[in-house]
Amino acid sequence: MHIAEGFLPPVHAVAWGAASAPFVVHGARSLIREVREHPESTLLLGASGAFTFVLSALKLPSVTGSCSHPTGTGLGAILFRPPVMAVLGTITLLFQALLLAHGGLTTLGANVFSMAVVGPWAGYGLYRLLRRSGVPLMAAVFFGAFAADLSTYCVTSVQLALAFPDPGSGFTGALAKFGAVFALTQIPLAVSEGLLTVLVMRMLVQSSRGELTRLGVLVTSVAGRKPAKPSGAVTP
Amino acid sequence: MSRDARINTVLLLLVAALAALPLVLGLGDHKEEPFTGADAEAETAITEIDPDYEPWFSPLYEPPSGEVESALFALQAAIGAGVLAYYFGLRRGRRQGEDRAREQAGPGAGAGPGDGDGAVPERTV
């Protein structure tokens, strides 16, 4: 989903930057508020960012015969809501743009929009929808992470098709072309991301019950007994 | 192996299988260069659509070779994996410490049912 440095015309680069900036600023505010009000969540915030770091460094082979990588933004969006991920995703993208020549500064706005804004919101939205319809936690987590991953690459395809419409078939033709490169490749990877997010969420349920309850991911199953400490200790 | 650990292992195996299958089935064979990055393919697609397009900005720093690039990618993954491992290790250690303190405080206080992921030998109860 990384649009390479200089590969968006200046007008598009600026427009996507302007579209992303408010989300990142708003995200930074909610991140600061979260850390200030709940210092104990700093560690889990770090872990959510770390998950994005790992997953977006994993380039995996896919059915189309090319390689791509997951994004890892679904987990943090489900735990801390999407605004926070706008910041953590931007940090990851900056690291890759500055050190790896992967993505770029001129395309940062567009890449942030797809990976750190739309992805987290799409994933979180689907997760909430499924939870409200009574879908079990882990199934909702799987589809949430899947949606965060796949939607990111769909947005990238749209961004490129907008910037480079096909001379013959226009926007739709270009979208089909970029969609074949990105979205199709991404489907199995989005499944992998869903599975990995479920894995980490399972480990969190096992280790950080108190924290997950506070964040509203887990509903207190034992009525009247709140978890003793934020460290996740649970009294039977 | 506890049930939790078994499920977690199956999840990891599934991810590994999903990554390995395209390679095993040779799904990249129809390409001149199999399994290149989708990002690079998008660049190719752009130049196909608009052969005159010239990137108007180039990266400030570019890893001088594929080796350096893969080292930096490995670094990125290592930082992430390190923080995650620290998180789960810390949680586990704290929980064990709390359980131990509870045991010392008085037998019968009981340890919680919140079993670990089972990858490490369980605490003695």
Side-chain angles (χ1 to χ4, degrees):
Chain A
M1 45 68 58
H2 294 83
I3 302 178
E5 186 75 282
F7 267 88
L8 274 186
V11 179
H12 288 257
V14 172
W16 288 114
S20 299
F23 288 97
V24 178
V25 172
H26 172 235
R29 283 213 191 122
S30 26
L31 182 65
I32 292 168
R33 197 180 331 120
E34 177 71 28
V35 170
R36 217 175 262 158
E37 287 172 12
H38 304 283
E40 71 274 13
S41 64
T42 314
L43 214 56
L44 189 53
L45 276 167
S48 308
F51 188 65
T52 303
F53 244 63
V54 181
L55 259 64
S56 61
L58 284 183
K59 295 195 191 173
L60 301 169
S62 177
V63 283
T64 48
S66 53
C67 278
S68 186
H69 59 85
T71 61
T73 54
L75 178 72
I78 290 170
L79 290 174
F80 291 102
R81 297 186 25 86
V84 166
M85 285 321 287
V87 183
L88 299 182
T90 304
I91 294 172
T92 310
L93 287 168
L94 257 180
F95 180 94
Q96 295 184 320
L98 291 175
L99 285 179
L100 296 159
H102 214 66
L105 295 178
T106 58
T107 50
L108 186 66
N111 290 335
V112 165
F113 198 81
S114 61
M115 182 176 136
V117 176
V118 175
W121 276 107
Y124 178 75
L126 185 62
Y127 162 80
R128 285 303 299 254
L129 196 75
L130 291 174
R131 285 300 276 158
R132 238 177 246 170
S133 338
V135 173
L137 174 66
M138 288 309 167
V141 167
F142 174 84
F143 285 109
F146 178 88
D149 185 313
L150 193 57
S151 61
T152 298
Y153 282 79
C154 293
V155 171
T156 307
S157 308
V158 171
Q159 287 170 329
L160 286 175
L162 282 172
F164 301 100
D166 194 84
S169 46
F171 170 78
T172 5
L175 186 61
K177 197 164 193 165
F178 291 116
V181 169
F182 281 123
L184 213 57
T185 307
Q186 203 60 24
I187 292 173
L189 297 197
V191 173
S192 294
E193 166 150 10
L195 295 172
L196 286 172
T197 309
V198 166
L199 173 70
V200 171
M201 191 61 92
R202 287 175 50 80
M203 292 170 69
L204 285 174
V205 169
Q206 290 153 13
S207 75
S208 319
R209 210 164 253 280
E211 189 102 359
L212 292 189
T213 309
R214 182 183 73 70
L215 292 169
V217 175
L218 287 180
V219 188
T220 27
S221 47
V222 195
R225 290 206 190 183
K226 65 181 172 71
K229 286 186 190 103
S231 57
V234 169
T235 40
Chain B
M1 212 192 252
S2 74
R3 184 167 168 271
D4 274 334
R6 262 206 308 275
I7 295 175
N8 290 351
T9 311
V10 169
L11 285 172
L12 279 175
L13 287 177
L14 277 175
V15 173
L18 271 173
L21 269 179
L23 300 175
V24 176
L25 299 177
L27 294 177
D29 291 353
H30 62 287
K31 297 196 169 180
E32 277 175 41
E33 272 189 273
F35 297 110
T36 50
D39 294 344
E41 284 187 9
E43 286 174 39
T44 317
I46 290 172
T47 32
E48 274 171 28
I49 291 178
D50 187 354
D52 299 329
Y53 187 78
E54 283 288 330
W56 55 282
F57 200 80
S58 43
L60 300 176
Y61 169 78
E62 219 163 335
S65 71
E67 279 72 17
V68 177
E69 189 188 352
S70 64
L72 286 167
F73 264 111
L75 177 71
Q76 186 192 332
I79 294 173
V83 173
L84 276 173
Y86 175 80
Y87 178 86
F88 284 111
L90 187 74
R91 285 281 181 224
R92 190 179 189 82
R94 270 193 198 161
R95 205 172 57 237
Q96 288 176 342
E98 278 164 9
D99 288 346
R100 212 166 292 147
R102 213 173 297 140
E103 271 165 41
Q104 281 169 0
D115 280 359
D117 53 38
V120 182
E122 284 296 319
R123 60 184 179 268
T124 48
V125 179

